[in-house]
């Protein structure tokens, strides 16, 4: 008999879709500790998780019946994939679903930083608005500016399409260069990373967190940015050296930054919170009613397909394909 453990409080749809299964849930709005997951998922054949659950080697090796970990997120850096492979536990994720909502939040951050939206809102609420002034909150035009996309996967491409609508020129860096036909459709020109950082007016990060991308944007690379540049991170916090970014923002070496992710979430350095030239969001890239609902459905489908021996729509690792 399959037994499912869901690490987060279920919304109605989850309970309906899983009602035929022996399913238990963490009903509390808090992240479970490693020990709690091991205890509560002891005989589970499937785990449904989110990106805040750190599913490490200890957990994977402590659940003897585990066949699948279904992560309800695009990123899967919260799961020890090597350990899952050793134990032949499948790992699935929901990459296609979050694309448009995350691209929207990247665009929202680009606009919020370039037009100083949050600063202006705070100013007004503080009762400081005394009428239209010529110099009040002058921001930066996006029209004719260069957007440098780092990581031209699904989300990167959606951001490019949105930015074209705002009159931006698109350059990109990615591990794999796009076919020429796709570059033409997106009007995107490939540049090596360091070159891109020197040319772009806005740099938007869309790479997954891997050992290769940890601190990809380090102190040296931040120094390559133009004085008026804007850095946007909706990917994963550790892709940027946060301390080095704080220094760059403090010294006003760049125009500003827009962040949805942080190096040690949920910790946000107080120094960052004191700065006016950064917009800070609490990791809400995929947080729309429609997207979150679809993520849940996709995560459940992926999990059930693995349990039934079928190939799920999206996966990170499937033991049955191991031999290839
Ligand atoms: O950050 C969100 C996700 O990976 O889905």
């Amino acid at each position: 008999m399959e037994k499912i453990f869901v690490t987060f409080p279920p919304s109605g749809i989850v309970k309906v879709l899983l009602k035929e299964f022996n399913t238990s849930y963490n009903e509390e709005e808090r992240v479970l500790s490693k020990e709690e997951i091991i205890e509560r998922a002891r005989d589970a054949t499937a785990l449904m998780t989110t990106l805040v659950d750190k599913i490490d080697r200890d957990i994977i090796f402590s659940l003897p019946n585990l066949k699948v970990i279904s992560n309800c997120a695009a990123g899967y850096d919260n799961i020890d994939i090597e350990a899952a492979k050793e134990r032949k536990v499948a790992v699935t994720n929901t990459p296609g679903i979050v694309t448009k909502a995350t691209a929207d939040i990247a665009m929202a951050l680009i606009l919020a930083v370039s037009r100083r939206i949050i600063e202006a809102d705070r100013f007004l609420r503080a009762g400081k608005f005394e009428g239209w002034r010529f110099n009040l909150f002058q921001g930066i035009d996006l029209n004719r500016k260069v957007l440098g996309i780092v990581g031209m996967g699904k989300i990167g491409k959606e951001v490019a399409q949105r930015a074209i609508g705002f009159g931006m020129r698109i350059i990109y860096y990615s591990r794999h260069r796009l076919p020429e036909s796709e570059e033409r459709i997106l009007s995107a020109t490939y540049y090596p990373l360091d070159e891109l950082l020197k040319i772009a007016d806005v740099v938007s990060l869309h790479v997954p967190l891997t050992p290769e991308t940890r601190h990809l944007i380090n102190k040296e690379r931040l120094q390559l940015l133009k004085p008026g540049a804007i850095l946007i991170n909706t990917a994963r916090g550790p892709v940027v050296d946060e301390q080095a970014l704080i220094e760059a923002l403090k010294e006003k070496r760049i125009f500003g930054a827009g962040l949805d992710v942080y190096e040690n979430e949920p910790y946000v350095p107080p120094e960052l919170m004191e700065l006016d030239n950064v917009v800070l969001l609490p990791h809400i890239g995929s947080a729309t009613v429609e997207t979150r609902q679809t993520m849940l459905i996709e995560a459940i489908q992926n999990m059930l397909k693995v349990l039934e021996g079928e190939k799920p729509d999206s996966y990170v690792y499937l033991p049955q394909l191991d031999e290839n």
Side-chain angles (χ1 to χ4, degrees), residues 289-304:
V289 174
E290 298 88 342
T291 298
R292 286 285 157 86
Q293 181 99 334
T294 316
M295 285 166 77
L296 289 171
I297 296 171
E298 165 100 353
I300 291 172
Q301 278 174 344
N302 287 340
M303 176 172 70
L304 296 182

Side-chain angles (χ1 to χ4, degrees), residues 51 72-76 94 98 102 234-236 261 283 286 295:
L51 59 94
C72 193
Y76 49 86
T94 60
V98 306
T102 309
T234 55
R236 284 292 183 267
V261 289
H283 203 152
S286 65
M295 285 166 77

Side-chain angles (χ1 to χ4, degrees), residues 89-229:
V89 170
V91 180
T92 65
N93 62 338
T94 60
I97 313 295
V98 306
T99 306
K100 289 185 196 289
T102 309
D104 286 347
I105 223 71
M107 201 63 225
L109 281 173
I110 294 172
L111 285 162
V113 178
S114 65
R115 299 302 304 272
R116 304 172 62 186
I117 303 280
I118 311 297
E119 236 186 304
D121 177 285
R122 272 198 295 260
F123 169 89
L124 181 142
R125 286 172 201 257
K128 295 181 184 166
F129 181 42
E130 291 174 346
W132 186 89
R133 296 287 183 271
F134 199 84
N135 292 324
L136 193 61
F137 287 107
Q138 287 186 4
I140 300 181
D141 270 340
L142 294 182
N143 188 38
R144 305 167 84 98
K145 294 286 160 55
V146 176
L147 172 63
I149 294 182
V150 178
M152 197 56 128
K154 291 191 188 74
I155 300 173
K157 287 178 196 166
E158 287 283 338
V159 174
Q161 282 176 354
R162 282 156 181 69
I164 289 167
F166 284 88
M168 299 191 84
R169 267 188 52 215
I170 312 296
I171 65 174
Y172 78 100
Y173 164 77
S174 221
R175 230 165 3 128
H176 306 290
R177 202 174 158 166
L178 297 179
E180 226 174 276
S181 56
E182 234 184 314
E183 285 188 349
R184 219 170 312 116
I185 291 169
L186 292 167
S187 320
T189 311
Y190 177 88
Y191 276 86
L193 179 58
D194 290 357
E195 291 308 305
L196 175 146
L197 296 174
K198 285 184 211 161
I199 298 170
D201 298 294
V202 179
V203 174
S204 193
L205 306 175
H206 301 287
V207 290
L209 176 62
T210 64
E212 292 75 42
T213 63
R214 188 172 289 275
H215 282 197
L216 182 71
I217 306 300
N218 57 16
K219 190 171 173 184
E220 293 68 38
R221 291 212 163 104
L222 283 168
Q223 273 159 358
L224 298 177
L225 292 174
K226 286 163 108 172

